Amino acid sequence: MLCYSSQSWGYARFTHRRLPQFFLLFPMEAETFSDIRGQPITLDCQRHSSFCSEFTVSSPKVSIGKVMAYTCSVWLLAYFLFFFTQNTAVLSSAILVTLVGMVLHIHFVKVDHESLLVIGSLGIQVSSSYASGREITSFIEMGRIKDIVINEAVYMHQIIYHLCVLLREPAESDAVAGVVPLFQSSKPRLDCLVKVYRSCQEILSKVP
Amino acid sequence: MFWFQIMVENSPSPLPKRAIYGFVLFLGSQFGFFLYCLWAYIPEEWLHSIGLTYWPQKYWALAVPIYLLVALMVSCVVLFGVNMCNTAPLDSVDNITDIYAENQRGECQQKGGIPRLKDVSISDVNKMFYLSPRT
């Protein structure tokens, strides 16, 4: 198993729980886009063959400044409370809360990168990996996929573009049976989505 | 001519009888407010001495307006929240289509006629927007 740490060359990984990633012989181009909140994200398009492409959207890493700011504010508040109550349990519970909170955040909340692997006539694999290394992967077979579209939907107080997979029942091929939104944590803007959409449609249009 | 007459009857334009209704309501509400102020300011002993014994406590003279104003402010926030709760999530089929669009009748137009108004599927819309070559 070969591993390169820099971002300019490809790498090979094999896991038992999902389809193997392919070894790359050329450098990957990572373009910088922006997500709906204005944070920079990077999109990585790898065209493995004419019927197989992989797209990876990476979110910015956890910034040390924000971690320091949260920790300092919580601990200052705890010391303030300790000053009035003179109870040392306040200080130790504050330390515990910050540690447990950070661990839960990087394991359950902070998404490092999300990837979409499209293999023509086989299916689509969607995976999101968290900052602690945990990966959630799901595979949708091509018989259940109706289309991949960019849809506009109301999200909280705004309307956003998002890429989603339309599912259908394998028996009847007309009605939309379900929707699977893609890149939900990184939420890229339209320019990034159009790139992914065009490449996906290239592959999907060749499927009989 | 019949539909024209119905249109005139239902128009929201000012009419004499509407002006009279409005003025009666205005006088009635001003008088009601005057009575409310009388009840709120006159001490309880004077009201008892006249013979009006079974009236609400003076506490409510302040409590009811305050309750109403706080309810108004909270309802602004709650209305916003209810709207956001009722918004379909990003993974619901309601963002894509609904039973009316699914059950549309097929093309049965006559030659040369105007096509029937119908919902365009999201796949076609996307192809038009994002796959067609830009000039």
Side-chain angles (χ1 to χ4, degrees), chain B residues 55-72:
Chain B
W55 288 89
Q57 286 182 339
K58 290 303 173 77
Y59 163 81
W60 294 109
L62 284 180
V64 168
I66 293 177
Y67 270 130
L68 284 178
L69 286 176
V70 170
L72 188 69

Side-chain angles (χ1 to χ4, degrees), chain B residues 26-80:
Chain B
F26 167 71
L27 285 181
S29 63
Q30 294 285 17
F31 185 58
F33 181 64
F34 174 67
L35 289 181
Y36 167 77
C37 284
L38 271 186
W39 163 68
Y41 279 106
I42 294 179
E44 284 218 326
E45 303 83 28
W46 296 11
L47 287 178
H48 287 336
S49 68
I50 300 177
L52 306 168
T53 50
Y54 202 64
W55 288 89
Q57 286 182 339
K58 290 303 173 77
Y59 163 81
W60 294 109
L62 284 180
V64 168
I66 293 177
Y67 270 130
L68 284 178
L69 286 176
V70 170
L72 188 69
M73 290 195 301
V74 168
S75 67
C76 276
V77 178
V78 166
L79 183 69
F80 194 58

Side-chain angles (χ1 to χ4, degrees), chain B residues 72-102:
Chain B
L72 188 69
M73 290 195 301
V74 168
S75 67
C76 276
V77 178
V78 166
L79 183 69
F80 194 58
V82 164
N83 267 322
M84 284 174 81
C85 278
N86 285 344
T87 310
L90 287 183
D91 60 354
S92 104
V93 189
D94 296 325
N95 278 330
I96 306 285
T97 183
D98 61 1
I99 51 170
Y100 302 105
E102 294 270 340

